[in-house]
Amino acid sequence: MRTSQYLLATQKETPAEAEVASHQLMLRAGMVRKLASGLYNWLPSGLRVVNKVAAIVRDEMNKAGAIEISMPVVQPADLWVESGRWDDYGPELLRIKDRHQRDFVLGPTHEEVITDLVKTEVNSYKQLPLNLYQIQTKFRDEVRPRFGIMRSREFIMKDAYSFHIDEQSLDETYQRMHQAYCNIFERIGLQYRPVIADSGSIGGAVSHEFHVLADSGEDDIAYSDSSDYAANVELAEALAVGEKTAPSQRIKLVDTPNAKTIDAVSKLLECDITKTVKTLIVNASEESEHDFVALVLRGDHSLNNIKAEKLELVASPLQMADEAAVKAKLSCDFGSLGPVELGFPVIVDRSAERVADFVCGANQDDKHFVGANWESDVKDYSVADLRNVVEGDPSPDGKGTLAITKGIEVGHIFQLGDKYSTAMNCGVLNETGKHEVLQMGCYGIGVTRIVAAAIEQNNDKYGIIWPTSIAPFSVVIIPMNMHKSHRVMETAEKLYKELSEAGVEVLFDDRKERPGVMFNDMELIGIPNSIVIGERNLDNQQVEVKDRKSGEKILLNIEEVVSHIQNLG
RNA sequence: CGGUGAGUGGCGCAGCUUGGUAGCGCACCUGGUUUGGGUCCAGGGGGUCGUAGGUUCGAAUCCUAUCUCACCGACCA
């Protein structure tokens, strides 16, 4: 491709709306242009990258035994009513009507359509397992589209759905998809982690997210420094920390005027914050005989809502108790609560339970207890994992300690079980001739999001540094003053022809621009290699080949260039 | 949905307080100049000042309504 016949569309200035690196660079490098909030045009360079990513995903999916199909973006509402998600999905689902006033949706995902398809096309267990996928545009009417391509409303996703006669078969395919995803991210060349995830509202039991590690990520991931363990912070199990010491003090009531927070109390009483506990009152579940449940954490730890609401005694969704209602019962404010003689169930975090001689609220305004102990002073309580993990906690798998990093979710795989197949009555005849509902798995990869994530992870002050696997071009020819020098032009044309014929994706910057302009544009776009041709080196029949990532330059004889570039992979 | 801020040539912005010929930089076009890291000079084209209404002799500027966008929050396969 010649730049003179291409739409390069680079720009010097960064549009004010772009916050994150990938968004800024994609705009400046001429990859995308915004059409409206969360909607983007893909320009030639951007589309080339999208297609590269899609090709790798497609190849690995095929290798893993999945079969490509294509389903419509517009879907009839009936199917969503049938699955129950017409009501459950909320405003993120864009609903439209056709000319006959029939309801349709723009597909944010395709569980309904695929389940309906398989229901009619697959009738026997002999046709299973089956894993179907598509690479296709999705639409989600995000509350707040942001970060450019990272969270747009329209995006390209690879979504696969597998169907099984039993859970064992589902698990086999799930493991195979897990491996295929690892292959994809490794082949693209990104730093990533598979993490144990919450299956969320899509339902199902087992689930992993695949995260590209980058500081601008929206999710927090806890991972072990010495094993493969990684989990979303929301889910990471928090083991007990701190030594369990024997009680050495008797409980004592002290005045703590105006000390309503853990910080204030520990400061006033001059005690370490890890020797305090805090008490949070939440609404109890309906099955419970009480109105409230007290959740007790060590002073420096924070409550994990997801863990809390999974407890039997706790109402789901989790709801903090109304302060007035608590005051009516205990006649004190939130700032003076403690687990001693509360009159409703007390659940203590594992780490809080290890603290002896602790400081806690006395359930009287402006009073706290010091030297309190579980066995002697609280007596009736249970212990559970309630808190968020923090950096330095022991890893739940027993190997190493946890660190926390930011990640960009680029893939998510689920074992759905029979949620959709039951709702939509999707089954086959089994070996005994009886109708059996299918087990399902679903596996998504954000193709366009990977493009943005790759930039987040690979850029410098000059621009994008594409991994070779997904670069829009493998090499660019940058001639110095070609329009003045016949020798330069001849060499450039020759190399362009030879590289093109060798099947190398080569860009030829034949614009009548100054060298600095070309260097800057090509570094911004992030092409992995450039061939600089100038009078200077032609005297020795040589050209310069420069690596975008390392900045290293080497001189090569002209006839060596093509094989050298090919060997770079 | 709540909070904050912004809408002026393709992009980045000034002008608004105190109403009176719509400006600057980048980009674009023409000519020259320069040529291994975003040259320099001269000339040129392009804007219903988000939209609608109002006040006024006169509105980018003041008032009202409305739309759009961004950031923070809530929410989220």
Side-chain angles (χ1 to χ4, degrees):
Chain A
M1 180 59 67
R2 293 169 188 265
T3 50
S4 62
Q5 292 162 28
Y6 188 66
L7 184 60
L8 212 52
T10 54
Q11 44 188 210
K12 269 190 200 174
E13 283 175 284
T14 308
E17 66 193 41
E19 286 283 306
V20 295
S22 63
H23 192 195
Q24 294 177 353
L25 289 171
M26 288 175 91
L27 290 168
R28 287 220 292 136
M31 296 183 63
V32 295
R33 288 290 184 266
K34 189 172 82 167
L35 176 65
S37 179
L39 301 174
Y40 288 84
N41 287 310
W42 285 89
L43 302 182
S45 305
L47 184 61
R48 280 178 162 261
V49 178
V50 170
N51 288 340
K52 291 263 175 107
V53 173
I56 291 172
V57 170
R58 176 177 287 118
D59 189 50
E60 293 296 333
M61 290 302 290
N62 290 344
K63 278 185 190 163
I67 312 164
E68 187 168 11
I69 60 168
S70 180
M71 293 179 271
V73 175
V74 176
Q75 310 174 8
D78 305 3
L79 291 178
W80 287 74
V81 171
E82 200 178 338
S83 74
R85 290 207 289 185
W86 179 255
D87 294 323
D88 293 347
Y89 212 94
E92 208 173 299
L93 181 64
L94 185 66
R95 297 148 210 254
I96 52 178
K97 283 185 193 292
D98 71 1
R99 63 164 71 191
H100 306 293
Q101 299 302 305
R102 285 187 290 243
D103 288 313
F104 287 84
V105 306
L106 282 191
T109 173
H110 280 70
E111 280 84 6
E112 282 80 3
V113 177
I114 191 86
T115 305
D116 183 66
L117 179 70
V118 167
K119 176 164 91 178
T120 54
E121 299 305 322
V122 177
N123 307 303
S124 162
Y125 73 96
K126 293 177 189 168
Q127 295 169 281
L128 299 176
L130 189 63
N131 189 1
L132 300 171
Y133 78 97
Q134 63 174 348
I135 296 173
Q136 189 233 31
T137 297
K138 297 277 186 277
F139 190 93
R140 291 180 194 171
D141 201 357
E142 290 283 345
V143 190
R144 181 148 91 82
R146 64 188 124 170
F147 306 144
I149 293 303
M150 201 94 83
R151 185 175 284 274
S152 52
R153 293 197 289 179
E154 191 177 296
F155 56 97
I156 298 173
M157 176 163 148
K158 184 283 301 174
D159 48 326
Y161 307 87
S162 68
F163 297 84
H164 311 270
I165 194 72
D166 57 28
E167 287 171 18
Q168 189 199 330
S169 168
L170 167 59
D171 196 56
E172 282 168 15
T173 297
Y174 184 86
Q175 296 309 333
R176 200 189 290 194
M177 282 294 107
H178 190 289
Q179 185 58 50
Y181 275 38
C182 292
N183 296 347
I184 287 166
F185 296 116
E186 234 138 76
R187 191 162 147 194
I188 293 174
L190 296 176
Q191 271 190 282
Y192 74 99
R193 279 264 185 171
V195 311
I196 301 163
D198 186 12
S199 51
S201 57
I202 202 162
V206 182
S207 169
H208 284 83
E209 291 172 353
F210 287 76
H211 284 259
V212 166
L213 306 182
D215 293 335
S216 52
E218 294 184 83
D219 296 302
D220 290 310
I221 298 160
Y223 66 96
S224 165
D225 61 1
S226 44
S227 76
D228 283 342
Y229 179 86
N232 203 304
V233 162
E234 295 173 340
L235 257 77
E237 184 182 0
L239 300 180
V241 294
E243 288 300 307
K244 178 139 191 166
T245 49
S248 65
Q249 297 176 20
R250 298 286 300 276
I251 192 165
K252 196 171 90 183
L253 190 65
V254 295
D255 286 328
T256 51
N258 296 321
K260 297 282 182 197
T261 65
I262 288 288
D263 279 341
V265 170
S266 71
K267 209 165 185 178
L268 182 74
L269 298 178
E270 292 177 346
C271 70
D272 195 293
I273 193 165
T274 63
K275 301 295 281 181
T276 66
V277 303
K278 57 184 168 194
T279 306
L280 307 170
I281 311 291
V282 300
N283 289 344
S285 61
E286 287 181 15
E287 303 87 72
S288 160
E289 294 161 16
H290 301 270
D291 294 335
F292 304 125
V293 179
L295 305 176
V296 184
L297 296 158
R298 208 171 76 180
D300 57 326
H301 287 151
S302 65
L303 179 68
N304 179 308
N305 294 11
I306 292 179
K307 290 176 181 175
E309 73 184 29
K310 280 183 183 158
L311 298 172
E312 236 175 83
L313 291 175
V314 175
S316 179
L318 184 78
Q319 216 175 6
M320 300 308 281
D322 180 64
E323 182 153 12
V326 171
K327 187 148 188 163
K329 193 151 185 128
L330 298 174
S331 41
C332 79
D333 292 328
F334 276 1
S336 306
L337 291 171
V340 179
E341 289 171 11
L342 265 180
F344 44 83
V346 175
I347 304 175
V348 182
D349 181 67
R350 292 163 173 175
S351 298
E353 200 250 347
R354 288 210 171 170
V355 186
D357 306 327
F358 57 78
V359 172
C360 67
N363 302 324
Q364 301 173 41
D365 280 338
D366 298 327
K367 304 257 190 211
H368 278 73
F369 287 125
V370 298
N373 283 287
W374 296 108
E375 297 79 359
S376 51
D377 303 316
V378 183
K379 300 179 188 81
D380 194 18
Y381 62 91
S382 58
V383 178
D385 174 16
L386 291 178
R387 69 181 176 93
N388 288 313
V389 294
V390 295
E391 198 111 7
D393 276 351
S395 176
D397 67 352
K399 296 171 196 159
T401 58
L402 292 180
I404 293 175
T405 186
K406 294 275 186 188
I408 301 166
E409 184 190 347
V410 290
H412 202 160
I413 59 178
F414 302 84
Q415 291 191 11
L416 290 176
D418 62 358
K419 175 173 171 176
Y420 295 93
S421 45
T422 297
M424 301 180 67
N425 190 29
C426 175
V428 297
L429 294 186
N430 65 16
E431 285 171 283
T432 59
K434 291 186 80 173
H435 186 265
E436 195 158 335
V437 167
L438 297 184
Q439 294 292 314
M440 287 175 63
C442 86
Y443 319 92
I445 281 190
V447 172
T448 41
R449 188 180 276 186
I450 285 177
V451 176
I455 297 174
E456 288 296 332
Q457 205 177 73
N458 300 284
N459 68 79
D460 63 14
K461 63 180 172 175
Y462 302 110
I464 302 168
I465 306 172
W466 288 114
T468 317
S469 60
I470 58 172
F473 296 94
S474 332
V475 61
V476 56
I477 295 171
I478 306 179
M480 302 289 100
N481 306 312
M482 178 176 81
H483 299 275
K484 285 279 169 64
S485 162
H486 279 290
R487 280 208 300 175
V488 171
M489 181 182 287
E490 271 168 34
T491 312
E493 290 286 355
K494 177 175 177 292
L495 285 176
Y496 177 57
K497 185 160 176 277
E498 288 175 6
L499 286 165
S500 301
E501 282 169 359
V504 175
E505 289 180 287
V506 54
L507 184 64
F508 177 14
D509 198 348
D510 62 343
R511 291 176 297 171
K512 201 174 173 181
E513 284 289 357
R514 294 170 56 83
V517 174
M518 295 196 229
F519 287 134
N520 281 308
D521 271 348
M522 295 308 148
E523 279 162 4
L524 174 60
I525 295 170
I527 300 175
N529 302 286
S530 40
I531 301 169
V532 182
I533 304 171
E535 284 282 344
R536 195 194 279 177
N537 295 315
L538 281 182
D539 290 340
N540 305 319
Q541 291 296 300
Q542 287 183 316
V543 297
E544 183 181 290
V545 174
K546 185 175 175 184
D547 183 280
R548 171 67 179 87
K549 188 168 189 173
S550 67
E552 278 171 26
K553 303 172 188 173
I554 53 169
L555 286 174
L556 289 179
N557 292 325
I558 293 170
E559 56 274 16
E560 297 173 323
V561 172
V562 175
S563 62
H564 175 82
I565 296 293
Q566 281 179 307
N567 290 338
L568 293 174

